[in-house]
Amino acid sequence: MSENLQAVVEHLRQALASRDADAFTAVFADDAVYELRFGMPGQPRRFEGVQTIREHMKQGASGGIARLLSFDDVHATVYEAADPEVVVVEFEPEGSAGGTPFRFASSLGVIRVRDGAVVSYLDYPNAVGAAEAVGMLPELAAVLAPVRPGSAREVAARLIEVSATGDYEAMLALYAPDVVIEIPFAPPGVPTRSVGSDLLRARVEAVKGLWRFERADAVNLLETADPDVVVAEFTLHGSVTATGRSFASTYVMIVTVRDGLIVHSRDYGNPMASAELMREVAGA
């Protein structure tokens, strides 16, 4: 194995041990691609560009099961590939969770390095091993429980998926004809309550083309005591059509679904981010 590959693998191992997302991505090329091959349902699987990858790593390290793990060291088993740019590494963290020691194979990485920088990283994480280490297997099982066709969770996940690709027709098709939409944090000029999918379509048509959404991340679907109601949190990334400026908008929606269609949605967006986006559009 070349010295370049050895140095990158050791750097990644040390960064994992210190739980440092900035250090981990410091050896990634600007246009690197990171793919999460064993992802959770509804979780984005592909991240392009070192900044996007870094943001994903930071969110992963500070949230969910990962925040409960304390690493003392990370062991690495390295497998050389015939391709001189590629190395396969199994990472095995050792530490404790709530005072209980653990050591488990946490992930397998297929890593392509060119000119001393990671250009491609295929990640195969072990979510079950992490859940077992912190005693949260029942919670993981609940997340992975089968979703009823047309359930609130399934419809909300589909809504986020089509919104992220800018498929407005597919998005509108998820709403009932008499849907009630409430926007408590609506900016000036936007009604806080509307009834009917025709009004929703008119609102969509009014802004279509001003910006384009490209992907969603930070997706969190929270089921409630009412099986027809789900709370959806997500961030949409996109760009202003006229200027090309990138933006990210985070939303929380309380969605009620009946017979596979959204009949009520209470939508919350960051009013400051919305105002900034509208100023950008108006000034373009």
Side-chain angles (χ1 to χ4, degrees), residues 95-117:
S96 62
T100 302
F102 65 76
R103 178 170 174 169
F104 68 98
S106 65
S107 66
L108 184 75
V110 180
I111 307 165
R112 180 175 293 276
V113 176
R114 188 173 297 142
D115 298 327

Side-chain angles (χ1 to χ4, degrees), residues 68 104 116 128 183 241:
L68 304 176
F104 68 98
V128 173
I183 310 176
T241 304

Side-chain angles (χ1 to χ4, degrees), residues 140-161:
L140 179 63
V143 171
L144 298 176
V147 177
R148 294 179 293 114
S151 69
R153 183 186 180 93
E154 183 180 60
V155 172
R158 176 63 177 161
L159 176 66
I160 296 169
E161 178 186 353

